[in-house]
């Protein structure tokens, strides 16, 4: 009887130690992930599961939509939007642990076209040409859409280009697919989209002087995390050489100086709010349809 008791205690001790080192006691984590991260994060999540014995529940979508889901569900171990705009909003709403965010990679805006650029789009001014079909991310819920509107407003192309917008993408990946599937002639997107699917998408660099802001991908911890140490472990894994190499494989820029090479005068990070003029133009366009 004593031998059985000792063996049982040893077994419990071993299981406890294994749980500490490999998170065997944690069934899963939930990652609310902006679709600007989709290809690398799918791979990182699979490797994290294999290495740490943790099921990673990935929820992809527009950064604003995901923040609303966190707020409503009161769940999540990681919030990974596509730009710092939504980290600022999340902190304002007190939905993430303050100062928990760290930079994963940098994103540079670009014009993305179907392979071969059949409409011969060479710059922002071409997006205002009559008959050009343009797609952008929904600026009210998708970080990419915010940057697109900011670029158009800064360069006085807001009204003429919005007249050519035929659809709004519900996330970064859905917006990228508009170009990959030849549904539009061009989208305002991230340069990295081309590297997701180089056989189906080309990119046209925007004049550096026309780019007001460079984005970066922040990773943070929702205040509802059920295990803050596990949240930190996932962030550490994402920022490790393993995680960074995966992002690099998909064309993301890990160094600020590399991103600034595409737009030396652009600011980095911060927040942009949709102007009243955007809503006025959209309202008028809907009236005339």
């Amino acid at each position: 009887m004593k031998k059985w008791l000792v063996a049982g205690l040893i077994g419990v001790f071993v299981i406890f130690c294994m749980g500490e080192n490999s998170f065997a006691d944690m069934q899963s984590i939930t990652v609310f992930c902006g679709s600007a991260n989709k290809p690398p994060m799918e791979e990182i999540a699979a490797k994290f599961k294999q290495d740490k014995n943790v099921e990673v529940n990935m929820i992809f979508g527009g950064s604003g939509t995901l923040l609303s889901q966190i707020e409503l569900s009161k769940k999540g171990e990681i919030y990974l939007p596509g730009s710092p705009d939504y980290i600022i909003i999340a902190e304002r709403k007190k939905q993430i642990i303050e100062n928990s965010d760290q930079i994963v990679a940098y994103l540079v805006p670009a014009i993305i076209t179907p392979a071969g650029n059949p409409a011969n789009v060479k710059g922002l001014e071409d997006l205002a040409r009559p008959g050009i079909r343009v797609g952008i991310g929904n600026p009210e819920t998708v970080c990419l859409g915010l940057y697109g509107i900011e670029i158009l407003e800064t360069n006085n192309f807001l009204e003429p280009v919005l007249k050519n917008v035929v659809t709004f993408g519900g996330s970064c990946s859905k917006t990228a697919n508009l170009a990959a599937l030849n549904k539009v002639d061009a989208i305002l997107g991230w340069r990295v989209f081309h590297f997701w699917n180089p056989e189906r998408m080309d990119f046209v660099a925007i004049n550096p002087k026309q780019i007001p802001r460079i984005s970066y991908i922040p990773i943070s911890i929702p205040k509802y995390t059920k295990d803050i140490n596990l949240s930190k472990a996932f962030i550490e894994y994402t920022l490790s050489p393993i995680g960074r190499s995966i992002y690099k494989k998909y064309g993301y820029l890990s160094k600020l100086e590399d991103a600034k090479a595409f737009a030396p005068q652009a600011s980095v990070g911060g927040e942009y709010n949709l102007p009243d003029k955007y809503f006025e133009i959209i309202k008028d366009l809907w009236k005339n349809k």
Side-chain angles (χ1 to χ4, degrees):
M1 182 70 177
K2 290 182 179 180
K3 289 182 179 179
W4 176 86
L5 180 60
V6 171
L9 290 173
I10 291 173
V12 170
F13 178 75
V14 169
I15 291 171
F16 175 77
C17 290
M18 286 177 62
E20 265 195 329
N21 295 327
S22 65
F23 301 107
D25 57 333
M26 177 63 67
Q27 294 298 313
S28 67
I29 64 169
T30 298
V31 178
F32 288 90
C33 185
S35 290
N37 301 276
K38 191 170 185 179
M41 281 310 305
E42 284 180 326
E43 190 168 332
I44 288 171
K47 285 185 176 294
F48 185 79
K49 176 183 177 181
Q50 181 180 6
D51 292 349
K52 302 296 184 180
N53 193 31
V54 175
E55 188 72 36
V56 182
N57 178 28
M58 301 295 299
I59 300 176
F60 292 104
S63 299
T65 301
L66 294 174
L67 181 56
S68 295
Q69 290 177 335
I70 290 172
E71 192 170 8
L72 289 171
S73 68
K74 300 188 184 328
K75 293 180 180 179
E77 278 63 60
I78 296 290
Y79 178 47
L80 185 62
S83 81
D85 301 72
Y86 283 98
I87 288 293
I88 294 171
I89 295 171
E91 287 188 334
R92 189 182 302 139
K93 290 185 170 186
K94 302 187 185 305
Q95 293 301 302
I96 60 173
I97 295 175
E98 191 174 359
N99 298 321
S100 65
D101 58 298
Q102 297 187 59
I103 296 175
V104 177
Y106 294 89
L107 294 169
V108 177
I111 297 168
I112 307 296
T113 73
N117 192 3
N120 195 29
V121 174
K122 296 180 179 179
L124 287 179
E125 58 278 1
D126 289 326
L127 300 182
R129 279 177 11 214
I132 290 291
R133 299 169 303 154
V134 178
I136 63 173
N138 183 343
E140 296 182 51
T141 56
V142 181
C143 59
L144 175 63
L146 275 178
Y147 276 75
I149 296 301
E150 182 178 11
I151 289 170
L152 296 177
E153 183 192 22
T154 301
N155 295 284
N156 298 313
F157 284 117
L158 188 59
E159 187 165 4
V161 173
L162 279 179
K163 289 180 179 179
N164 285 341
V165 171
V166 295
T167 185
F168 292 91
S171 68
C172 282
S173 59
K174 289 179 179 178
T175 307
N177 281 337
L178 295 173
L181 299 176
N182 206 17
K183 299 290 186 181
V184 296
D185 298 309
I187 64 168
L188 277 170
W190 301 124
R191 172 183 171 273
V192 75
F193 287 174
H194 162 70
F195 300 96
W196 289 6
N197 199 340
E199 294 182 356
R200 290 194 170 188
M201 290 185 280
D202 287 339
F203 80 89
V204 177
I206 297 173
N207 184 327
K209 294 180 180 180
Q210 293 180 314
I211 299 177
R213 192 164 58 116
I214 290 170
S215 182
Y216 61 80
I217 294 170
I219 188 168
S220 65
I221 304 175
K223 70 175 185 179
Y224 308 106
T225 180
K226 57 192 175 186
D227 189 327
I228 193 169
N229 290 324
L230 184 54
S231 294
K232 289 179 178 179
F234 188 84
I235 291 177
E236 183 180 343
Y237 195 85
T238 299
L239 300 179
S240 73
I242 293 174
R244 291 195 183 279
S245 67
I246 292 172
Y247 267 90
K248 184 177 180 180
K249 181 174 74 173
Y250 288 99
Y252 292 77
L253 304 170
S254 60
K255 297 180 180 179
L256 177 57
E257 55 264 35
D258 292 339
K260 291 286 281 186
F262 292 93
Q265 299 174 13
S267 63
V268 180
E271 182 184 16
Y272 172 76
N273 294 305
L274 286 172
D276 291 338
K277 188 167 182 60
Y278 163 79
F279 296 101
E280 293 169 5
I281 294 170
I282 290 297
K283 185 177 179 180
D284 289 340
L285 289 174
W286 275 107
K287 277 184 181 179
N288 296 326
K289 280 190 176 182

